């Protein structure tokens, strides 16, 4: 019964508009700087990059551990606090546990194997940039920026871009089980924040009261963008990233749209959107299988590398 429901926490007083606008501008510029640094990706010559690898993980863990984000409340993972048509079911967020445990194991493996750390060194600056961009998302995904959910979308997109640059840089050097231990969790991370950026765009559309028609269009375009990005990741060999996008789309098909836009569209349109999301998730799975088979045919085997 509603009478026995826990009352929502009292939100902190919003900062002055000028202060919040200045903070948003700083965060946006910081995210752009992270992408620029990742694209330059210039490690110090002769260095293992291990400090950057460890630093990136520390930045990620510390920034995520700070309370106060919207998703710090477990209820937010069950029911969206803002109107949206593109809402993943709560089970989807379990992927974060896999990502963080895997990334910690990968950094530990690099710390133990200095030869592997030197091989992965070219990817270290972009990896650090990615985690700095995610730290900016942690700062933006808070009540003070509720009217600026586009900002958290931008930070997540920057995180994904930096991770993809890092993964593409590391791919030629990291192979075998150790390479998979380092690269698979980071690719999952890239795919998941890609999907999260699209989810945040739809949250912004709903909270900005764009109307049912425009929010429905945003959801459909998000499905198309997710399909295109997942196939691009699979084509680049980042199969785990594509799988994370597919996982998010499957979760969206099981999630519940909330708010006046959902009520205006009605169950028929919402069921169609959920079916489309499940279909796109299945198409992503097919893309992963096809692209994965292509990569297997072009990847040198152990015998080939020994002969070389």
């Amino acid at each position: 019964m509603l009478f026995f429901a826990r009352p929502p926490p009292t939100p902190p007083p919003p900062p002055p508009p000028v202060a919040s606008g200045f903070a948003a501008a700083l965060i946006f510029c910081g995210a752009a700087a992270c992408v620029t640094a990742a694209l330059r990706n210039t490690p110090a010559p002769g260095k293992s990059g291990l400090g950057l690898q460890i630093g990136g993980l520390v930045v990620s863990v510390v920034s995520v551990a700070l309370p106060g984000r919207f998703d710090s409340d477990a209820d937010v993972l069950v029911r969206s606090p803002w109107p949206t048509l593109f809402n993943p079911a709560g089970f989807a967020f379990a992927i974060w546990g896999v990502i963080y445990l895997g990334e910690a194991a990968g950094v530990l493996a690099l710390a133990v194997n200095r030869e592997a750390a030197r091989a992965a060194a070219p990817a270290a600056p972009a990896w650090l940039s990615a985690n700095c961009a995610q730290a900016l998302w942690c700062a933006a995904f808070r009540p003070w920026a509720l009217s600026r959910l586009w900002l958290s979308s931008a930070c997540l997109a920057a995180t994904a871009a930096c991770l993809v640059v890092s993964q593409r840089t590391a791919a030629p050097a990291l192979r075998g089980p150790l390479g998979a231990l380092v690269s698979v969790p980071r690719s999952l991370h890239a795919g998941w924040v890609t999907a999260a950026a699209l989810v945040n765009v739809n949250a912004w559309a709903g909270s900005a009261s764009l109307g049912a028609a425009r929010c429905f269009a945003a959801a459909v375009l998000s499905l198309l963008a997710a399909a295109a990005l997942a196939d691009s990741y699979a084509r680049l060999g980042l199969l785990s990233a594509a799988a994370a996008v597919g996982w998010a789309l499957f979760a969206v098909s099981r999630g519940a749209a909330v708010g006046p836009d959902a009520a205006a569209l009605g169950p028929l349109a919402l069921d169609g959107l959920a079916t489309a999301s499940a279909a796109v998730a299945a198409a992503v799975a097919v893309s992963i299988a096809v692209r994965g088979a292509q990569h297997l045919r072009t990847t040198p085997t152990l015998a080939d590398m020994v002969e070389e």
Side-chain angles (χ1 to χ4, degrees), residues 137-148:
W137 167 77
C138 290
F141 198 55
R142 295 173 183 271
W144 72 267
L146 179 60
S147 62
R148 296 182 174 90

Side-chain angles (χ1 to χ4, degrees), residues 86-205:
F86 204 77
N87 187 33
F91 66 79
F93 298 92
I95 196 174
W96 275 123
V98 178
I99 289 170
Y100 280 118
L101 288 174
E103 288 180 343
V107 170
L108 179 61
L110 293 177
V112 171
N113 190 326
R114 294 304 178 91
E115 184 179 350
R118 284 190 290 272
W127 159 252
L128 177 60
S129 296
N131 286 290
C132 289
Q134 182 166 288
L136 292 173
W137 167 77
C138 290
F141 198 55
R142 295 173 183 271
W144 72 267
L146 179 60
S147 62
R148 296 182 174 90
L149 286 172
W150 58 266
L151 181 61
S152 58
S153 302
C155 292
L156 288 168
T159 303
C162 294
L163 283 169
V164 170
V165 170
S166 178
Q167 290 296 88
R168 291 292 295 162
T169 306
L174 290 177
R175 296 186 182 278
L178 180 58
L181 181 62
V182 175
S183 64
V184 168
R186 297 184 185 190
S187 287
L188 280 174
H189 195 164
W192 178 249
V193 293
T194 297
L198 296 174
V199 169
N200 271 236
V201 166
N202 284 269
W204 168 78

Side-chain angles (χ1 to χ4, degrees), residues 199-264:
V199 169
N200 271 236
V201 166
N202 284 269
W204 168 78
S207 62
S209 301
L210 297 184
R214 290 186 177 89
C215 287
F216 187 80
V220 172
L221 290 174
S222 296
L223 290 177
L224 295 175
L229 288 167
D231 185 64
S232 296
Y233 291 159
R235 180 171 48 82
L236 292 172
L238 303 178
L239 301 180
S240 298
V245 175
W247 170 256
L249 290 170
F250 174 73
V252 168
S253 74
R254 295 293 185 269
V258 295
D261 297 325

